[in-house]
Each structure stands twice: as structure tokens, then as C-alpha cells.
Amino acid sequence: MSREQAASTKYDPTPWWQQHRDLTLEPVMRALASHDLDTLQKMYENFFRDDCSTGLLPVQRVKNNYFGHVIADFYRRLYLVDALYRLDYWKAETSGCYTVGDLAGPATGNPFGVALGDTLVRVGSEYQHYCAQRIAQLLHGHATIAEIGGGFGGMAYYLLRDRPGTTYIDFDVPESISLTSYYLLKNFPHLKIVLYGEAELTSDTIRQADIVLMPLVELAHLPNDIVDLSFSSHAMSDLAPEVMPEYLCDIARITRNHFLYVGTEISAARIVDFSEAMPSQFILLESRQSGWNRHIAPNAGHVECIYQVSCSTSPICWDKEVTNR
């Protein structure tokens, strides 16, 4: 958290995240800064329903109507409509290759969701499982992936569970990385996990690790061409126009095969601008509408894009004048 304040401004929290910090995350930030482990444990054991996961889970939108009492029939039906739509969409997007049982997850964090048979389909699990399988389709053999903005580690859980031998690297704001550390350490105690400050971010460190969890400021120190695939779901959509190209330069530098992006059409257009200004860095292989929230935000304009990333061992510099296009 201290390092973030002294790092390049490009790694500053987005205005959207800063708003969450100011309004809701102060208790968990205070507990982290003061090493108050008892308070952190209480928060993290219940993070699916606690404000410490604000911005990562729909806690604030639902807690007053869903937690602590019998749910009113209106809100119960509202939640079911959303959950069942997303389940149907998940089945369609995965071509019916999986059963509801594949969405089963750990009880870490006291999750909530919809019980179908013996499976608790926790909130967001269908999307996280889909992203994990989408990534797995693009990988071959032992592979390393880097995620920018991994939330609490929901997608990483399914990827590591279903594709043993994958090395997972996550870059995020300190509050999220702390929660991710808790979640993945609890659920993968047998894996070698490297946290910030425990080792230099070198090729050897990554080669010997299963999971590497770092604050965003460490993205600049990741070795060139070290990951097979970079992934970001919605996190990059909140970046300012002048900052987006700098993150794309980082991705182009560290990635040797693919970049999977899910986010707004506006941000996708900025990636197009970048690829036009930096020929052959990002080649669009596939682009399609993302309909996960179409039933509640029909005009939101979200897309899913897969890019081929050229392998480059030399630093890539961005002409900042292009951001004014």
C-alpha cells in the first residue's frame, strides 16, 4: 500500500475504485495497515457478505434486502431471474459441455447463491468458470497466464482446479490482492504461492511458483515474454484513456501468445487505436458481444475479444500523442 503511493501514476487506482475506497473500504484498509489480523479474519471469513469485497461482489446492492432476515418474495424472485438467466447463458456459451456440479466451489468466505440439487451455485461462479475454460482453450501444455484485476480469485480457482500445472499471476490493487491471497491460500495449500515481498519477480521465481500475487506496481517488473496469455475482465474498462495504452504496452511486452479481453466496447475501441498505432502488436482474432448482463443492461455494450500478441523482447514505447485521436 505504501509502494503504491510512490509508484508511477499509471498504477493509481481508477476513480471508480477510489470511490469504493472512500465510501466503503476504509475499515479493511485500516485493518491491513495496522496488521489487525483478528479484524481481517472476521471480514475475510464472511467476505461474500462483508463490505471488504465491495467492487468484487454485489454486496452493497443486495445486503439490505437479502442478508440477516427472511428474504421477501419479490427479492427472492428477482435474484432467481438473474441467476437462472446467467446459468442458461453459461450453458449456451459452453455448449452444454458441463454440469451444474462443475460450478461447485469452496465454502471459503461464506458464499451465497442458488442451491440446485447438491450444488450451491454461488454468485458469479458461472461467469468465472466460463472465463477459466475460455482461457484453458487457448493454452497448450504447461502455461503461464497473467490476469490484471483478478478480483478475489474466483476465476483463478476454477482455472487452477481444472488445469493443474498452470502458473497463475495476478496484478491488482492491494486490498484485492490481500483478499485473493486469503482465498487461494485457503483453497490451494499444496501449491507454491509467492506473495509480494517474498521474492524478486524474476523468471526463476515464476518458473518455480504455481501462483504469484502482486500489486499493480509490480507489473512493470515482470520479465519480457514470460506469460502465454494475458487476461482482463472489466478491470481495464475503468482505465483513463491516457492510461490504457500504457497497460497495453505492458501486456504486449510480457505476453508471447494471446490477450483475452472482456469489457466495454469503448475500451475495445482504444485497443484498436493502439493496434493501429503499433502495427503487428495486437492482431484481433475474434470479437463478439458479451451477453452476461444483457437482461439487466441491454445497451451496456460489452464485448469479448481475443488478440494474437506478437512476441517482442524489446521495450515498446507508446506515442502519447495518439491518445488524442
Side-chain angles (χ1 to χ4, degrees):
M1 295 169 71
S2 299
R3 177 76 182 278
E4 181 186 71
Q5 298 173 9
S8 169
T9 56
K10 80 175 183 178
Y11 299 118
D12 285 350
T14 64
W16 176 82
W17 187 257
Q18 188 59 51
Q19 184 179 40
H20 285 311
R21 280 181 170 177
D22 295 339
L23 295 177
T24 313
L25 293 175
E26 195 275 335
V28 70
M29 293 174 65
R30 184 173 62 248
L32 286 167
S34 62
H35 299 243
D36 185 352
L37 299 185
D38 290 337
T39 297
L40 282 173
Q41 183 175 3
K42 292 176 182 177
M43 291 178 176
Y44 285 175
E45 286 179 340
N46 197 44
F47 77 80
F48 271 89
R49 304 157 192 262
D50 188 275
D51 286 343
C52 71
S53 62
T54 298
L56 312 178
L57 287 164
V59 175
Q60 292 169 309
R61 296 202 305 271
V62 303
K63 67 178 183 179
N64 293 333
N65 297 320
Y66 291 87
F67 302 150
H69 53 79
V70 176
I71 304 172
D73 191 59
F74 171 79
Y75 291 109
R76 181 178 64 85
R77 292 177 181 274
L78 195 65
Y79 186 88
L80 281 172
V81 166
D82 178 64
L84 294 177
Y85 167 85
R86 292 171 68 86
L87 270 173
D88 286 343
Y89 191 78
W90 165 75
K91 290 177 182 177
E93 290 296 287
T94 57
S95 303
C97 293
Y98 303 95
T99 67
V100 170
D102 290 306
L103 297 179
T108 306
N110 192 19
F112 64 93
V114 174
L116 295 177
D118 296 329
T119 302
L120 174 67
V121 181
R122 60 168 176 76
V123 59
S125 61
E126 64 292 304
Y127 175 70
Q128 293 155 3
H129 180 272
Y130 164 78
C131 289
Q133 306 312 317
R134 190 78 165 123
I135 289 170
Q137 292 171 3
L138 295 168
L139 304 179
H140 303 283
H142 182 280
T144 300
I145 82 147
E147 182 171 13
I148 298 176
F152 67 88
M155 185 286 296
Y157 169 80
Y158 290 115
L159 182 67
L160 294 165
R161 183 196 71 177
D162 296 343
R163 199 179 190 280
T166 300
T167 298
Y168 172 75
I169 310 173
D170 182 27
F171 296 94
D172 212 330
V173 292
E175 307 83 40
S176 296
I177 282 293
S178 178
L179 182 55
T180 304
S181 302
Y182 172 83
Y183 189 71
L184 296 183
L185 280 163
K186 292 278 283 187
N187 295 311
F188 297 102
H190 59 290
L191 297 183
K192 180 174 175 54
I193 301 180
V194 177
L195 306 180
Y196 178 60
E198 294 181 340
E200 294 292 327
L201 196 56
T202 64
S203 298
D204 286 341
T205 297
I206 295 168
R207 190 178 303 112
Q208 297 170 19
D210 299 300
I211 301 171
V212 180
L213 304 175
M214 293 286 153
L216 282 167
V217 296
E218 288 298 298
L219 182 58
H221 300 137
L222 196 64
N224 292 352
D225 303 320
I226 196 69
V227 303
D228 296 280
L229 180 146
S230 291
F231 170 65
S232 183
S233 169
H234 297 288
M236 291 182 61
S237 296
D238 299 314
L239 295 174
E242 65 273 15
V243 174
M244 169 74 88
E246 299 192 47
Y247 273 82
L248 293 172
C249 284
D250 282 331
I251 291 170
R253 179 182 62 81
I254 66 174
T255 310
R256 51 182 174 241
N257 287 324
H258 295 100
F259 172 41
L260 174 58
Y261 161 85
V262 183
T264 65
E265 291 179 339
I266 294 174
S267 293
R270 292 176 186 148
I271 299 176
V272 171
D273 284 347
F274 177 88
S275 61
E276 290 177 350
M278 305 292 290
S280 302
Q281 288 301 326
F282 289 90
I283 301 172
L284 182 62
L285 300 180
E286 182 181 341
S287 178
R288 60 183 179 182
Q289 293 295 312
S290 178
W292 289 95
N293 298 307
R294 188 179 297 139
H295 59 305
I296 55 177
N299 299 315
H302 289 98
V303 296
E304 175 184 316
C305 303
I306 300 174
Y307 297 89
Q308 177 72 48
V309 184
S310 68
C311 185
S312 173
T313 56
S314 58
I316 300 169
C317 298
W318 169 255
D319 183 356
K320 293 186 178 182
E321 293 182 2
V322 180
T323 61
N324 296 321
R325 289 177 54 179

